[in-house]
Amino acid sequence: MGGFGAAKLADDPHSARPELRVGVVTWSNEQTRSIAFEEDGTARRPLDGDTTYSVIAEGWQDVGGTLHHDGTYPSCLAGEKGDPVSTDRHRVGLEVLRRDTGGHPEHIVVHVRCLD
């Protein structure tokens, strides 16, 4: 019975499932937990609204594969010590929820995997 109930919940059309996106973070701000992201294979202008992502991820994975669940900002997104902004262009894999309220789409990062 429990398995059937779990399967039915997994089919819920109102459940959000993250999408995996791979690309380059071109700008990151640790204070606002915002990034500018260029997905592989997608040509966008730097100021397009849908390139800005909100990072709410509490857990992330470093290049070596170690998982971090301590609330720290991912090392591949972080700036130099004392500077919340980074423009280092690191490759990442992001698990993203997309929210569209009829206007400008919002991208919410729930997991970060540093690739370089």
Side-chain angles (χ1 to χ4, degrees), residues 1-24:
M1 182 77 163
F4 177 75
K8 292 306 278 177
L9 286 175
D11 291 338
D12 183 356
H14 301 289
S15 295
R17 292 189 180 95
E19 300 171 358
L20 177 61
R21 299 192 178 180
V22 177
V24 176

PDB file of all heavy atoms in Angstrom, residues 1-24:
ATOM      1  N   MET A   1       0.821  -1.191   0.000  1.00  0.00           N
ATOM      2  CA  MET A   1       0.000   0.000   0.000  1.00  0.00           C
ATOM      3  C   MET A   1       0.864   1.254   0.000  1.00  0.00           C
ATOM      4  O   MET A   1       0.589   2.187  -0.710  1.00  0.00           O
ATOM      5  CB  MET A   1      -0.929  -0.030   1.230  1.00  0.00           C
ATOM      6  CG  MET A   1      -1.856   1.138   1.313  1.00  0.00           C
ATOM      7  SD  MET A   1      -3.203   0.932   0.156  1.00  0.00           S
ATOM      8  CE  MET A   1      -4.329   2.102   0.790  1.00  0.00           C
ATOM      9  N   GLY A   2       1.931   1.263   0.833  1.00  0.00           N
ATOM     10  CA  GLY A   2       2.798   2.435   0.907  1.00  0.00           C
ATOM     11  C   GLY A   2       3.462   2.725  -0.419  1.00  0.00           C
ATOM     12  O   GLY A   2       3.611   3.862  -0.821  1.00  0.00           O
ATOM     13  N   GLY A   3       3.885   1.668  -1.148  1.00  0.00           N
ATOM     14  CA  GLY A   3       4.525   1.856  -2.444  1.00  0.00           C
ATOM     15  C   GLY A   3       3.583   2.474  -3.455  1.00  0.00           C
ATOM     16  O   GLY A   3       3.957   3.331  -4.239  1.00  0.00           O
ATOM     17  N   PHE A   4       2.324   2.041  -3.440  1.00  0.00           N
ATOM     18  CA  PHE A   4       1.329   2.600  -4.356  1.00  0.00           C
ATOM     19  C   PHE A   4       1.101   4.084  -4.067  1.00  0.00           C
ATOM     20  O   PHE A   4       1.037   4.903  -4.964  1.00  0.00           O
ATOM     21  CB  PHE A   4       0.005   1.830  -4.227  1.00  0.00           C
ATOM     22  CG  PHE A   4      -1.084   2.407  -5.087  1.00  0.00           C
ATOM     23  CD1 PHE A   4      -1.080   2.207  -6.457  1.00  0.00           C
ATOM     24  CD2 PHE A   4      -2.106   3.163  -4.519  1.00  0.00           C
ATOM     25  CE1 PHE A   4      -2.086   2.739  -7.251  1.00  0.00           C
ATOM     26  CE2 PHE A   4      -3.103   3.702  -5.314  1.00  0.00           C
ATOM     27  CZ  PHE A   4      -3.099   3.481  -6.679  1.00  0.00           C
ATOM     28  N   GLY A   5       1.004   4.430  -2.774  1.00  0.00           N
ATOM     29  CA  GLY A   5       0.802   5.828  -2.390  1.00  0.00           C
ATOM     30  C   GLY A   5       1.975   6.698  -2.811  1.00  0.00           C
ATOM     31  O   GLY A   5       1.802   7.802  -3.317  1.00  0.00           O
ATOM     32  N   ALA A   6       3.189   6.182  -2.644  1.00  0.00           N
ATOM     33  CA  ALA A   6       4.378   6.944  -3.055  1.00  0.00           C
ATOM     34  C   ALA A   6       4.406   7.121  -4.560  1.00  0.00           C
ATOM     35  O   ALA A   6       4.762   8.182  -5.072  1.00  0.00           O
ATOM     36  CB  ALA A   6       5.645   6.243  -2.568  1.00  0.00           C
ATOM     37  N   ALA A   7       4.016   6.074  -5.279  1.00  0.00           N
ATOM     38  CA  ALA A   7       3.984   6.167  -6.743  1.00  0.00           C
ATOM     39  C   ALA A   7       2.958   7.200  -7.192  1.00  0.00           C
ATOM     40  O   ALA A   7       3.192   7.951  -8.134  1.00  0.00           O
ATOM     41  CB  ALA A   7       3.675   4.803  -7.350  1.00  0.00           C
ATOM     42  N   LYS A   8       1.823   7.251  -6.547  1.00  0.00           N
ATOM     43  CA  LYS A   8       0.801   8.236  -6.903  1.00  0.00           C
ATOM     44  C   LYS A   8       1.284   9.664  -6.620  1.00  0.00           C
ATOM     45  O   LYS A   8       1.020  10.566  -7.379  1.00  0.00           O
ATOM     46  CB  LYS A   8      -0.511   7.965  -6.154  1.00  0.00           C
ATOM     47  CG  LYS A   8      -1.218   6.699  -6.558  1.00  0.00           C
ATOM     48  CD  LYS A   8      -1.452   6.627  -8.049  1.00  0.00           C
ATOM     49  CE  LYS A   8      -2.662   7.384  -8.487  1.00  0.00           C
ATOM     50  NZ  LYS A   8      -2.860   7.372  -9.928  1.00  0.00           N
ATOM     51  N   LEU A   9       2.016   9.843  -5.510  1.00  0.00           N
ATOM     52  CA  LEU A   9       2.552  11.174  -5.212  1.00  0.00           C
ATOM     53  C   LEU A   9       3.574  11.598  -6.259  1.00  0.00           C
ATOM     54  O   LEU A   9       3.661  12.753  -6.628  1.00  0.00           O
ATOM     55  CB  LEU A   9       3.185  11.196  -3.818  1.00  0.00           C
ATOM     56  CG  LEU A   9       2.214  11.179  -2.648  1.00  0.00           C
ATOM     57  CD1 LEU A   9       2.990  11.081  -1.340  1.00  0.00           C
ATOM     58  CD2 LEU A   9       1.324  12.404  -2.646  1.00  0.00           C
ATOM     59  N   ALA A  10       4.369  10.628  -6.733  1.00  0.00           N
ATOM     60  CA  ALA A  10       5.385  10.938  -7.739  1.00  0.00           C
ATOM     61  C   ALA A  10       4.749  11.378  -9.047  1.00  0.00           C
ATOM     62  O   ALA A  10       5.356  12.089  -9.832  1.00  0.00           O
ATOM     63  CB  ALA A  10       6.290   9.731  -7.957  1.00  0.00           C
ATOM     64  N   ASP A  11       3.513  10.956  -9.303  1.00  0.00           N
ATOM     65  CA  ASP A  11       2.816  11.329 -10.526  1.00  0.00           C
ATOM     66  C   ASP A  11       2.022  12.622 -10.384  1.00  0.00           C
ATOM     67  O   ASP A  11       1.346  13.036 -11.306  1.00  0.00           O
ATOM     68  CB  ASP A  11       1.850  10.212 -10.937  1.00  0.00           C
ATOM     69  CG  ASP A  11       2.583   8.974 -11.409  1.00  0.00           C
ATOM     70  OD1 ASP A  11       3.755   9.097 -11.806  1.00  0.00           O
ATOM     71  OD2 ASP A  11       1.983   7.877 -11.368  1.00  0.00           O
ATOM     72  N   ASP A  12       2.083  13.253  -9.234  1.00  0.00           N
ATOM     73  CA  ASP A  12       1.307  14.466  -8.973  1.00  0.00           C
ATOM     74  C   ASP A  12       1.722  15.565  -9.945  1.00  0.00           C
ATOM     75  O   ASP A  12       2.880  15.969  -9.984  1.00  0.00           O
ATOM     76  CB  ASP A  12       1.535  14.925  -7.528  1.00  0.00           C
ATOM     77  CG  ASP A  12       0.713  16.147  -7.160  1.00  0.00           C
ATOM     78  OD1 ASP A  12       0.008  16.708  -8.028  1.00  0.00           O
ATOM     79  OD2 ASP A  12       0.767  16.538  -5.985  1.00  0.00           O
ATOM     80  N   PRO A  13       0.799  16.078 -10.769  1.00  0.00           N
ATOM     81  CA  PRO A  13       1.146  17.116 -11.740  1.00  0.00           C
ATOM     82  C   PRO A  13       1.528  18.440 -11.082  1.00  0.00           C
ATOM     83  O   PRO A  13       2.047  19.329 -11.738  1.00  0.00           O
ATOM     84  CB  PRO A  13      -0.124  17.265 -12.579  1.00  0.00           C
ATOM     85  CG  PRO A  13      -1.222  16.786 -11.692  1.00  0.00           C
ATOM     86  CD  PRO A  13      -0.619  15.721 -10.817  1.00  0.00           C
ATOM     87  N   HIS A  14       1.275  18.580  -9.796  1.00  0.00           N
ATOM     88  CA  HIS A  14       1.611  19.819  -9.095  1.00  0.00           C
ATOM     89  C   HIS A  14       2.962  19.749  -8.405  1.00  0.00           C
ATOM     90  O   HIS A  14       3.381  20.706  -7.765  1.00  0.00           O
ATOM     91  CB  HIS A  14       0.513  20.164  -8.082  1.00  0.00           C
ATOM     92  CG  HIS A  14      -0.826  20.322  -8.730  1.00  0.00           C
ATOM     93  ND1 HIS A  14      -1.142  21.379  -9.543  1.00  0.00           N
ATOM     94  CD2 HIS A  14      -1.913  19.527  -8.721  1.00  0.00           C
ATOM     95  CE1 HIS A  14      -2.376  21.238  -9.996  1.00  0.00           C
ATOM     96  NE2 HIS A  14      -2.874  20.118  -9.514  1.00  0.00           N
ATOM     97  N   SER A  15       3.636  18.609  -8.511  1.00  0.00           N
ATOM     98  CA  SER A  15       4.972  18.463  -7.924  1.00  0.00           C
ATOM     99  C   SER A  15       6.000  19.028  -8.899  1.00  0.00           C
ATOM    100  O   SER A  15       5.920  18.792 -10.097  1.00  0.00           O
ATOM    101  CB  SER A  15       5.301  16.992  -7.665  1.00  0.00           C
ATOM    102  OG  SER A  15       4.440  16.471  -6.695  1.00  0.00           O
ATOM    103  N   ALA A  16       6.938  19.736  -8.373  1.00  0.00           N
ATOM    104  CA  ALA A  16       8.005  20.284  -9.205  1.00  0.00           C
ATOM    105  C   ALA A  16       9.182  19.316  -9.199  1.00  0.00           C
ATOM    106  O   ALA A  16       9.570  18.801  -8.158  1.00  0.00           O
ATOM    107  CB  ALA A  16       8.446  21.634  -8.667  1.00  0.00           C
ATOM    108  N   ARG A  17       9.734  19.068 -10.373  1.00  0.00           N
ATOM    109  CA  ARG A  17      10.908  18.218 -10.500  1.00  0.00           C
ATOM    110  C   ARG A  17      12.036  19.062 -11.086  1.00  0.00           C
ATOM    111  O   ARG A  17      11.842  19.729 -12.105  1.00  0.00           O
ATOM    112  CB  ARG A  17      10.612  17.039 -11.410  1.00  0.00           C
ATOM    113  CG  ARG A  17       9.629  16.067 -10.807  1.00  0.00           C
ATOM    114  CD  ARG A  17       9.529  14.792 -11.642  1.00  0.00           C
ATOM    115  NE  ARG A  17       8.588  13.887 -11.044  1.00  0.00           N
ATOM    116  CZ  ARG A  17       7.310  13.788 -11.384  1.00  0.00           C
ATOM    117  NH1 ARG A  17       6.829  14.563 -12.330  1.00  0.00           N
ATOM    118  NH2 ARG A  17       6.513  12.935 -10.782  1.00  0.00           N
ATOM    119  N   PRO A  18      13.199  19.015 -10.457  1.00  0.00           N
ATOM    120  CA  PRO A  18      14.306  19.810 -10.997  1.00  0.00           C
ATOM    121  C   PRO A  18      14.808  19.261 -12.325  1.00  0.00           C
ATOM    122  O   PRO A  18      14.747  18.060 -12.570  1.00  0.00           O
ATOM    123  CB  PRO A  18      15.375  19.726  -9.911  1.00  0.00           C
ATOM    124  CG  PRO A  18      15.033  18.541  -9.092  1.00  0.00           C
ATOM    125  CD  PRO A  18      13.569  18.309  -9.237  1.00  0.00           C
ATOM    126  N   GLU A  19      15.300  20.168 -13.158  1.00  0.00           N
ATOM    127  CA  GLU A  19      15.910  19.814 -14.438  1.00  0.00           C
ATOM    128  C   GLU A  19      17.410  20.008 -14.301  1.00  0.00           C
ATOM    129  O   GLU A  19      17.862  20.990 -13.710  1.00  0.00           O
ATOM    130  CB  GLU A  19      15.410  20.739 -15.542  1.00  0.00           C
ATOM    131  CG  GLU A  19      13.925  20.706 -15.759  1.00  0.00           C
ATOM    132  CD  GLU A  19      13.468  21.807 -16.724  1.00  0.00           C
ATOM    133  OE1 GLU A  19      14.309  22.610 -17.185  1.00  0.00           O
ATOM    134  OE2 GLU A  19      12.263  21.858 -16.999  1.00  0.00           O
ATOM    135  N   LEU A  20      18.201  19.101 -14.866  1.00  0.00           N
ATOM    136  CA  LEU A  20      19.650  19.242 -14.860  1.00  0.00           C
ATOM    137  C   LEU A  20      20.064  20.139 -16.013  1.00  0.00           C
ATOM    138  O   LEU A  20      19.658  19.921 -17.158  1.00  0.00           O
ATOM    139  CB  LEU A  20      20.331  17.882 -14.994  1.00  0.00           C
ATOM    140  CG  LEU A  20      21.856  17.922 -15.062  1.00  0.00           C
ATOM    141  CD1 LEU A  20      22.451  18.536 -13.787  1.00  0.00           C
ATOM    142  CD2 LEU A  20      22.417  16.542 -15.307  1.00  0.00           C
ATOM    143  N   ARG A  21      20.834  21.160 -15.701  1.00  0.00           N
ATOM    144  CA  ARG A  21      21.371  22.069 -16.717  1.00  0.00           C
ATOM    145  C   ARG A  21      22.877  22.180 -16.512  1.00  0.00           C
ATOM    146  O   ARG A  21      23.344  22.317 -15.387  1.00  0.00           O
ATOM    147  CB  ARG A  21      20.728  23.444 -16.612  1.00  0.00           C
ATOM    148  CG  ARG A  21      19.232  23.337 -16.846  1.00  0.00           C
ATOM    149  CD  ARG A  21      18.605  24.645 -17.045  1.00  0.00           C
ATOM    150  NE  ARG A  21      17.171  24.450 -17.300  1.00  0.00           N
ATOM    151  CZ  ARG A  21      16.347  25.421 -17.509  1.00  0.00           C
ATOM    152  NH1 ARG A  21      16.774  26.664 -17.486  1.00  0.00           N
ATOM    153  NH2 ARG A  21      15.078  25.173 -17.739  1.00  0.00           N
ATOM    154  N   VAL A  22      23.610  22.116 -17.602  1.00  0.00           N
ATOM    155  CA  VAL A  22      25.073  22.180 -17.551  1.00  0.00           C
ATOM    156  C   VAL A  22      25.518  23.374 -18.377  1.00  0.00           C
ATOM    157  O   VAL A  22      24.999  23.619 -19.463  1.00  0.00           O
ATOM    158  CB  VAL A  22      25.702  20.879 -18.089  1.00  0.00           C
ATOM    159  CG1 VAL A  22      27.214  20.966 -18.112  1.00  0.00           C
ATOM    160  CG2 VAL A  22      25.252  19.679 -17.254  1.00  0.00           C
ATOM    161  N   GLY A  23      26.489  24.118 -17.842  1.00  0.00           N
ATOM    162  CA  GLY A  23      27.002  25.278 -18.555  1.00  0.00           C
ATOM    163  C   GLY A  23      28.011  26.030 -17.723  1.00  0.00           C
ATOM    164  O   GLY A  23      28.681  25.449 -16.869  1.00  0.00           O
ATOM    165  N   VAL A  24      28.084  27.333 -17.953  1.00  0.00           N
ATOM    166  CA  VAL A  24      29.092  28.191 -17.325  1.00  0.00           C
ATOM    167  C   VAL A  24      28.419  29.301 -16.525  1.00  0.00           C
ATOM    168  O   VAL A  24      27.503  29.965 -17.024  1.00  0.00           O
ATOM    169  CB  VAL A  24      30.014  28.812 -18.400  1.00  0.00           C
ATOM    170  CG1 VAL A  24      31.009  29.786 -17.784  1.00  0.00           C
ATOM    171  CG2 VAL A  24      30.734  27.722 -19.175  1.00  0.00           C
TER     172      VAL A  24
END
